[in-house]
Amino acid sequence: MNPERARELRDELRHRAHLQPGLTPQPGSRKQRELRFDKMLPAQVEQAHQLLTGLEGLEIKRGAHGNSLSISYFITDYTLEGLETALIGQGFHLESTLYSKLVRALIYFCEETQLRNMRMPERLIKKSNEVYVKAWEHHSHGDHDDTPPELRAGGVQSWPRV
């Protein structure tokens, strides 16, 4: 493979990643996801668009596919799982292929983990080392100097000259 072909493949993958908003890595708290509805019920896409438009802090656009909506939100306000659960509770039917179920489960897990990490207090990194120092001091390891303190304090001067 030559460098030009590698660049073409890279650019093609980047372009595809923009078409699939749920699959691209999204650091930070702003998320862009895709809601895919059952293909057999195309009217639900428009109904869901009207329903979700009323939610503050949620941006909604037509999706790349005919049965999808592209949504953008802050994870501190909404989660994909919460939005989809609310839609299902209102009688909407989401796409139920194995692929979409796996993608949803992965996104649910990632968002839940990110929220949990955001809520945890920061560790005191400077003090965390003290735990290990104290454990080392009380541990009976073989790294102990049996030289009496008076000889250690006196140093080399107390040794007889030869």
Side-chain angles (χ1 to χ4, degrees):
M1 177 181 300
N2 61 17
E4 289 178 24
R5 178 67 180 143
R7 285 187 199 102
E8 288 174 11
L9 288 173
R10 179 199 62 196
D11 294 340
E12 183 180 330
L13 287 174
R14 284 182 182 169
H15 178 71
R16 281 189 204 162
H18 292 299
L19 296 178
Q20 299 175 338
L23 301 179
T24 58
Q26 298 177 4
S29 60
R30 183 109 180 126
K31 303 296 175 190
Q32 183 177 351
R33 305 288 187 212
E34 188 174 54
L35 291 171
R36 288 193 182 186
F37 296 89
D38 191 348
K39 292 179 182 178
M40 303 303 284
L41 303 167
Q44 285 195 344
V45 177
E46 182 59 35
Q47 293 170 353
H49 186 273
Q50 291 174 357
L51 180 69
L52 294 173
T53 301
L55 295 177
E56 188 177 331
L58 185 68
E59 294 178 19
I60 303 138
K61 300 176 190 171
R62 301 285 178 209
H65 306 284
N67 66 328
S68 67
L69 291 175
S70 179
I71 58 174
S72 182
Y73 56 89
F74 283 100
I75 195 169
T76 52
D77 298 332
Y78 301 102
T79 62
L80 183 65
E81 184 175 16
L83 291 168
E84 288 184 342
T85 302
L87 287 171
I88 291 169
Q90 293 291 322
F92 290 92
H93 297 276
L94 301 175
E95 187 176 73
S96 61
T97 62
L98 179 61
Y99 174 76
S100 63
K101 288 179 180 179
L102 287 171
V103 168
R104 268 193 220 116
L106 180 63
I107 291 173
Y108 292 174
F109 172 77
C110 291
E111 288 184 352
E112 177 186 336
T113 303
Q114 185 176 2
L115 277 172
R116 191 175 338 113
N117 289 341
M118 289 170 68
R119 291 181 183 132
M120 299 222 19
E122 288 188 36
R123 272 186 45 196
L124 299 174
I125 295 174
K126 291 182 180 179
K127 298 221 178 217
S128 66
N129 192 29
E130 291 177 12
V131 174
Y132 299 107
V133 170
K134 290 191 185 294
W136 179 260
E137 288 174 353
H138 297 300
H139 181 64
S140 59
H141 47 78
D143 194 20
H144 181 71
D145 187 5
D146 291 329
T147 307
E150 58 273 2
L151 290 180
R152 278 188 272 150
V156 179
Q157 290 97 5
S158 63
W159 290 3
R161 292 188 171 212
V162 178

